[in-house]
Amino acid sequence: MSKPIHFSLFDMKSLPIKCIPFILILLHCFDVNAQNLRWHLQKNGGIEWTVKKNAKHTDQIEMSGKQISAIITYGVNDKNNLILKRKLVFPMLRTIPNDTRGSLIRDFDQLIPPVLIDGTALDEQPVAFSINGSVKVRSEIGNVSILRELFPSTDKPAFIEHTIFKNNGLKPVEIVVPEFDQTDSTARSKGVYGTYLLNTKIYGTGKFILKAGEEQTYAIVYSARKTADQPYTFSSVYESLKRRNFVSEITQQLVLKTPNDTLNQMFAFAKIRASESIFDTKNGLMHGPGGGSYYAAIWANDQAEYMDPFFPFLGNAAGNESAKNSFRLFAKYMNPEYKPIPSSIIAEGTDKWNGAGDRGDMAMIAYGASRFALAYADTAEARQLWPLITWCLEFSRRKKSADGVIASDSDELEGRFPAGKINLSTNALVYGALISAADLSASLGDKTTSTNLLKEASVLKIAIEKYFGAKVQGFDTYRYYDGNDKLRSWIGMPLVMGIYDRKEQTAKALLSDYLWTKDGMLSESGSKVFWDRSLLYAVRGLFNAGMTDTTMKYLKYYTAKRLLGEHVPYAVEAWPEGDQRHLSAESGLYCRAITEGLFGIQPTGFKSFRLCPYLPAGWKQMSLKHIRAFNSDFDITVFKIGGKIKILVEQESGKKQEINWNGKQAVEINLY
């Protein structure tokens, strides 16, 4: 039996001529223009699905506020009738046992008396769905248009459905909105704070005559509270305004502008999902992954490693505060015996989870805290973080093997796939942490420690090459652990950390059909499992390695599928596990694939960073506007004039730096 031919977009010249037609057919499957996309971009921002007859389809999306998260299933059945289901999570209404999944969760699908239009019960058949920080459903019944908007409260444990009826005809229309106010209770013995009350109430009830052109609104509010808390009267208009203000604020910071509108919109949406999943707990603001399971808790990977280094770039106050809180909570578990800090701190910061042992969590925390401290650019905060960073680095040193590499019990996949006793991910993170910790130490005035950390990083880099460098399935790339003989998606980690010794073969391996599929990047060759987090790390690393045009083709395909395909509009966690949940940190990783990947930004000091923007061949210009890192507000614009590349850095103060760039070596930018 002959072996299959594996390829990437940049080695087709080496293929036999007879194979080229088949390769071109396969590449067509990865062409954005060839995708049969359900959704389309809207001119005013957002995306829309225009419903066709007999087009049965459902999807789900997660949206969050500081006291609630909502997983909404929406769509149409085979008769084009509206499907709408609500799974609501109340993270601060803790249940027993008060563990990782101890949030009050309820499906709000009770029968509610229907609205009557001219005496006939409302039976919606949507003509379009749209998403832009909320879910909107547009329907038409005769001359009456119906616009239903669904969104969480920004700061209360409530979910709102705000509906507007409009009479587009010439004759008056009668609208009857029924009264409904139902409260259910939970068992006292199952709640940390006793009994919880769950309420569904219709606001704006009554009988209304709409003349031509007139509108009428009503709202359904789903909420929960402790019995000791007083009932609250909601205004759906006010709640809608707060949600829109939140979305607008996020949209106007860290703005990506490229010739590709799909990338721009996906980036804008990723900022929303990454920022909304922050919960106001008894231990302060805590960013949480979501997904119906992970709330009022933090993880060394999702928060410390993925999200926290991103928030300073966005300048979101809640995000930065949640990052500081996460490191404060992890730091509480430092100890003189160097027992591992737990992987997760749960239940509003009152308990811990360490079921998978040391997953390389100390490497994750040291890397994330160093990057955050540099970009956040607050000397006092950096000095508070320094003991945690140095403790985590010392923990890693104590795990060093005779081969000079760092051992850990597992990796972040927690045994789902084998990782041996020493894995590539943990070691790449330690290397990255040493580099950024050296930069941070220098920024704090300790040049001696900085020099020593850089020397340590250099030694570890050599050890990584000796221990992990290997030929795997025909590629001179990295084995993930000793004995590993299958390609793994995390082999892109060295590229992210600036180790390029095996970049060409690693790039080919990542983009080969051993790992890359039409649905996502496989965790391991031969499996059917994919996790977006490793794909987004790979994209970031491929950009860092200078594989710009090839990487952009794959990123465009992936972006179109996630934003405009069948399950939209965010990066997902995994499949089949979780059925592609919209965990929030994956959206943060998408943003970092742009900021640190495409633009090649790496913090080096409180007012400095390395910049290596990889402008694709077909683009004349790209920019990031209102970057808020380094205690600044500045823009980066990269443009091509007469075949030459120029970089323009403009600060809000009016100061400008214009650089003629060779397109290869990173440049050092200092903000003044």
Side-chain angles (χ1 to χ4, degrees), residues 525-597:
S525 171
S527 76
K528 296 182 180 180
V529 176
F530 63 81
W531 289 65
D532 272 10
R533 55 189 64 183
S534 57
L535 181 152
L536 293 166
Y537 258 114
V539 167
R540 187 163 128 208
L542 290 167
F543 276 130
N544 292 160
M547 311 290 184
T548 309
D549 297 324
T550 297
T551 307
M552 182 54 68
K553 291 176 183 178
Y554 283 84
L555 180 60
K556 284 180 180 178
Y557 171 85
Y558 166 85
T559 298
K561 186 174 186 66
R562 291 290 184 267
L563 179 67
L564 302 172
E566 295 300 287
H567 180 42
V568 304
Y570 305 125
V572 303
E573 180 203 25
W575 188 89
E577 181 177 326
D579 196 21
Q580 303 188 69
R581 294 179 290 193
H582 285 148
L583 296 198
S584 58
E586 276 72 5
S587 285
L589 287 178
Y590 184 91
C591 292
R592 293 180 70 184
I594 300 297
T595 57
E596 298 173 45

Side-chain angles (χ1 to χ4, degrees), residues 3-8 11 14 469-479 484-488 491 502 504-510 512-515 525:
K3 294 183 179 180
I5 295 175
H6 298 277
F7 72 98
S8 72
D11 63 0
S14 65
K471 193 163 198 172
V472 183
Q473 293 190 274
F475 299 93
D476 286 319
T477 181
Y478 300 97
R479 62 179 185 176
N484 169 227
D485 60 359
K486 294 180 180 180
L487 290 172
R488 295 287 287 271
I491 58 174
R502 294 172 175 264
E504 287 85 3
Q505 286 287 300
T506 299
K508 289 182 179 183
L510 287 167
S512 73
D513 59 347
Y514 280 118
L515 291 176
S525 171

Side-chain angles (χ1 to χ4, degrees), residues 2 6 25 47 93 119 157 174 217 219 252-253 275 572 580 632 653:
S2 61
H6 298 277
I25 291 172
I47 61 173
L93 299 181
E174 181 186 79
T217 66
Q252 292 174 38
Q253 302 297 339
S275 302
V572 303
Q580 303 188 69
S632 302
S653 63

